[in-house]
Amino acid sequence: MDRNTKKIVIAVDGFSSCGKSTMAKDLAKAIGYIYIDSGAMYRAVTLLALRRNLFLPDGQVDTEKLRTILPNIRITFTLNSEGRPETCLNGENVEKEIRGLEVSSHVSRIAALDFVRSELVRQQQLMGQEKGIIMDGRDIGTCVFPNAELKIFVVASAEIRAQRRYDELTAKGEKVQYEDILNNVQERDRIDTTRAVSPLRKADDAIELDNSHLTPEEQKEWLMEQFNRVIASL
Ligand code: DC
């Protein structure tokens, strides 16, 4: 069988701002797989909760109302003119909005709700039924696809991730302090790894990739080697 007929599931998990989605997207394009950004799905639910005023003044979520609307939420992905996936919420393209500060600062509350996780995990598993998929997130190798043929767990030091984020933002002309970004990265790590439901952890059979000192090219090459190795072993 050739590479195209043997389809696998690739799970990419890791800390925030590790470059997971860029690497997963690049690999998906190179091997003709579907790429799914599971974080975008949590962000889309958060956007809907914000629009429906489901965040209470004390910061808690109105879970009763969210439970009633959740079954009707449809999250899909569409390719833009450059071939990049964009997130749609009930048919509306919300890619830009879900990356904004408002959603970013509320999403961890939504991602900590077990009933939201079980619904999104169900939808993610359906997307992977036919294989030929790369999904990135925090619980893909542990919960969503525990039988994925290739699992990558990406790490990089908090300082390096903060520096990358700082460079990205200052290049866009934003005035930011490195210390603030570092604090934010460390706080997000703490929330991701200590939450009660599906905390971020490396699956026992995941391969760790520390990309602190890798160039994007070296990383691409490494990933392609892992993919080819798994395909050849099938
Ligand atoms: O990767 P991201 O920053 O877009 O993720 C947004 C939020 O969703 C973040 O709080 C982590 C959470 N998340 C999660 O809990 N499980 C996933 N599979 C993906 C993201």
Side-chain angles (χ1 to χ4, degrees):
M1 272 200 285
D2 73 333
R3 188 163 111 169
N4 296 324
T5 56
K6 288 193 278 186
K7 298 255 186 206
I8 63 168
V9 171
I10 305 175
V12 180
D13 289 300
F15 291 93
S16 67
S17 306
C18 259
K20 293 189 299 292
S21 58
T22 307
M23 73 183 253
K25 253 181 247 173
D26 286 349
L27 180 64
K29 203 167 178 191
I31 62 178
Y33 274 30
I34 292 169
Y35 163 71
I36 301 289
D37 173 355
S38 68
M41 300 175 73
Y42 290 94
R43 287 173 180 268
V45 174
T46 306
L47 177 63
L48 192 67
L50 282 163
R51 286 179 173 178
R52 300 279 175 95
N53 291 319
L54 301 188
F55 285 92
L56 305 172
D58 61 0
Q60 296 301 316
V61 183
D62 184 339
T63 50
E64 209 174 304
K65 283 211 184 107
L66 185 57
R67 254 181 225 278
T68 62
I69 61 171
L70 199 61
N72 302 318
I73 292 179
R74 203 168 44 86
I75 301 165
T76 50
F77 294 91
T78 174
L79 291 183
N80 69 13
S81 56
E82 289 159 17
R84 286 183 217 281
E86 297 195 335
T87 314
C88 296
L89 172 62
N90 297 333
E92 174 194 350
N93 189 322
V94 291
E95 183 61 30
K96 203 160 168 218
E97 242 179 304
I98 61 167
R99 307 291 167 193
L101 203 62
E102 184 87 37
V103 169
S104 299
S105 58
H106 286 84
V107 63
S108 59
R109 286 211 180 271
I110 295 291
L113 299 170
D114 56 355
F115 67 94
V116 172
R117 299 202 74 85
S118 50
E119 173 57 22
L120 293 190
V121 167
R122 189 188 66 80
Q123 293 191 17
Q124 289 154 5
Q125 287 171 335
L126 281 177
M127 293 172 179
Q129 257 176 347
E130 308 285 318
K131 300 203 173 194
I133 191 171
I134 301 181
M135 193 175 288
D136 80 347
R138 306 294 193 283
D139 62 340
I140 312 304
T142 50
C143 289
V144 182
F145 299 123
N147 298 322
E149 289 84 351
L150 177 57
K151 297 181 186 178
I152 312 283
F153 191 79
V154 194
V155 300
S157 76
E159 288 74 14
I160 285 185
R161 286 181 283 139
Q163 186 66 51
R164 287 176 186 159
R165 187 97 187 96
Y166 175 84
D167 293 344
E168 236 173 65
L169 293 171
T170 46
K172 278 192 210 161
E174 290 189 33
K175 288 217 170 353
V176 285
Q177 297 293 324
Y178 169 79
E179 283 304 322
D180 292 342
I181 297 182
L182 178 61
N183 287 337
N184 181 265
V185 163
Q186 288 169 332
E187 177 60 6
R188 285 205 284 167
D189 288 356
R190 192 190 62 73
I191 294 174
D192 281 350
T193 51
T194 59
R195 70 168 176 230
V197 212
S198 304
L200 171 66
R201 73 169 179 84
K202 177 176 169 287
D204 295 337
D205 52 349
I207 313 168
E208 186 167 305
L209 166 66
D210 183 344
N211 69 10
S212 300
H213 304 289
L214 287 186
T215 64
E217 276 315 310
E218 287 169 335
Q219 177 164 289
K220 257 188 209 167
E221 211 172 292
W222 180 89
L223 205 54
M224 191 57 92
E225 272 169 28
Q226 303 308 315
F227 173 71
N228 286 331
R229 180 183 52 75
V230 172
I231 291 291
S233 72
L234 293 178

